[in-house]
Every structure is written in structure tokens, then in C-alpha cells.
Amino acid sequence: EAGVAQSPRYKIIEKRQSVAFWCNPISGHATLYWYQQILGQGPKLLIQFQNNGVVDDSQLPKDRFSAERLKGVDSTLKIQPAKLEDSAVYLCASSPVGQGYEQYFGPGTRLTVT
Amino acid sequence: GEDVEQSLFLSVREGDSSVINCTYTDSSSTYLYWYKQEPGAGLQLLTYIFSNMDMKQDQRLTVLLNKKDKHLSLRIADTQTGDSAIYFCARQSGTALIFGKGTTLSVSS
């Protein structure tokens, strides 16, 4: 079974630029999560989708971050404009419904904002 | 204090047992988890325990849960150099996870 795919793996941008990350979850997983992991911290949930609907986006800085999952499969996370404090690893995870809330993580995208 | 707390570093010798500890504040979580993160990689689910269990064993891994003290531990028997990584404790919150800051395990030969 293929794991969670993310691209790009690394991205360097200047502050005030925009950036987008892509995630393809494990086939059949209805739930998709985006987490932000700042260096030295644990991952923090940004947004959670169930199929193509948003379940929880309470931690998403909506003035600059947006995310979508239009067909209930792939998802994109966008930052516009980026700030220095957005430098982090952005992790995508997916989960099958009703299986103990097990989440499977992708390798992440490391964003550096200069 | 933090929702989920872990000590930051643990250093052991190869062949010894490692015990990584975690405390949490919200006892309503149904599941508690241990994840492993190797350099440059995503998080790998190691094991999880249901809140009505005291212990769960899976090969070299033993999870102990003291719900009264809100304390979770992960014991790795016969620790190998390949076990060197960051270990995250996490608790379930709704259907999302709240993570600790991670414990860096260093294994020397």
C-alpha cells in the first residue's frame, strides 16, 4: 500500500511571497490532516478534512493560510503572504474512518522563509 | 503548563532498555499514541493504547498507562542504534492529535 505522498519536499521563499504544498493521502482514507511542525516542537494541527468538508480549522491562520480538498482526495495548503515565522515542516496525514483514529503521516515539506 | 509534556533527551547504551515518559492534562482522550520521527522523515506510528488498558506489549515495545496520574510511558527493550530518533507522545482530541515536544533518544554503541 502506498503511503501519504507530499510535494515538494523542500521549499525556500522570501517573506511576502506565496507558496503551495500538495498532499495525496493513502487510497481510501476519508480523513486528511495538515500539521505544522516548528523546529523543536511537536506537530500542531492546522486543518482537518473529512472527505471534502472541513471538520476543524480553528488553528489555521485564515488571514494568510488556505487549504482545499476539492474532490475528497488530494489536498493543497497555501500560504500567502509568507512570514518568517512560517518556517516549519508541513506534514500531511490521513486516516481511515472508524479505525482508532490511527493517522499515517507523509514525509513533510520543509519550508524556509528568508 | 503544556497539554502533553515529555522530557527532551534520553541517552542509553546499546542493549539497555529505554523508558520514555509522558504526562498529559486532559483525561478524556480515548487513545494515546507513540510516534517515532527519524531525521528528515515524517512520523511513524509505533503503537497506541486504549484508555481502559493499563499495559500493551508489542515485540520490544511496552506501553504503560497510569490514568489516575495521567502518565504514559514507552519502554524499548534491547535498544539498538537504529532506535535513535525523536519519540512523540500524543493524545487524541476529537479525531485529531495533540503532540508533546518529543524526546530525543540517543543510543551509543
Side-chain angles (χ1 to χ4, degrees):
Chain A
E1 175 180 77
V4 176
Q6 291 189 247
S7 68
R9 291 295 313 276
Y10 306 92
K11 190 75 177 177
I12 301 173
I13 62 171
E14 295 182 351
K15 59 184 179 183
R16 291 187 289 274
Q17 287 187 324
S18 63
V19 65
F21 312 127
W22 173 83
C23 171
N24 181 240
I26 293 173
S27 177
H29 283 194
T31 310
L32 185 147
Y33 310 81
W34 283 103
Y35 288 85
Q36 179 193 57
Q37 185 179 18
I38 293 172
L39 186 65
Q41 305 281 324
K44 184 186 82 170
L45 179 71
L46 291 175
I47 188 167
Q48 176 187 345
F49 293 94
Q50 177 86 11
N51 297 309
N52 59 351
V54 175
V55 173
D56 182 358
D57 64 356
S58 58
Q59 300 295 309
L60 189 73
K62 299 181 187 63
D63 57 334
R64 297 183 301 105
F65 285 64
S66 64
E68 60 183 13
R69 192 184 185 199
L70 291 176
K71 296 182 180 178
V73 181
D74 294 6
S75 177
T76 55
L77 176 70
K78 296 179 182 177
I79 308 175
Q80 182 179 14
K83 293 185 175 182
L84 296 177
E85 59 261 36
D86 298 332
S87 293
V89 176
Y90 290 85
L91 295 163
C92 179
S94 68
S95 175
V97 175
Q99 291 193 20
Y101 308 119
E102 295 176 39
Q103 295 187 22
Y104 299 87
F105 284 79
T109 296
R110 182 176 297 276
L111 173 67
T112 303
V113 182
T114 63
Chain B
E2 297 287 332
D3 190 321
V4 178
E5 289 198 16
Q6 304 176 237
S7 53
L8 294 182
F9 299 102
L10 177 65
S11 182
V12 301
R13 297 187 70 86
E14 192 173 23
D16 289 349
S17 291
S18 307
V19 179
I20 302 171
N21 295 300
C22 171
T23 58
Y24 55 95
T25 56
D26 189 333
S27 58
S28 67
S29 299
T30 304
Y31 294 96
L32 296 133
Y33 303 82
W34 285 103
Y35 279 84
K36 176 183 180 182
Q37 188 175 39
E38 297 183 75
L43 276 74
Q44 173 194 354
L45 177 64
L46 285 177
T47 187
Y48 63 92
I49 188 167
F50 191 57
S51 60
N52 69 353
M53 298 171 65
D54 298 324
M55 185 180 84
K56 180 179 180 181
Q57 189 150 3
D58 184 0
Q59 299 181 339
R60 292 192 298 124
L61 305 179
T62 303
V63 178
L64 296 178
L65 174 60
N66 183 327
K67 200 169 180 183
K68 174 177 169 289
D69 292 340
K70 298 177 191 171
H71 182 269
L72 183 73
S73 68
L74 174 69
R75 177 177 180 269
I76 306 172
D78 187 24
T79 312
Q80 303 296 308
T81 55
D83 295 323
S84 293
I86 303 176
Y87 291 79
F88 290 94
C89 170
R91 71 169 186 87
Q92 169 224 340
S93 175
T95 54
L97 300 177
I98 296 178
F99 288 86
K101 291 186 177 181
T103 299
T104 299
L105 174 63
S106 174
V107 183
S108 58
S109 55

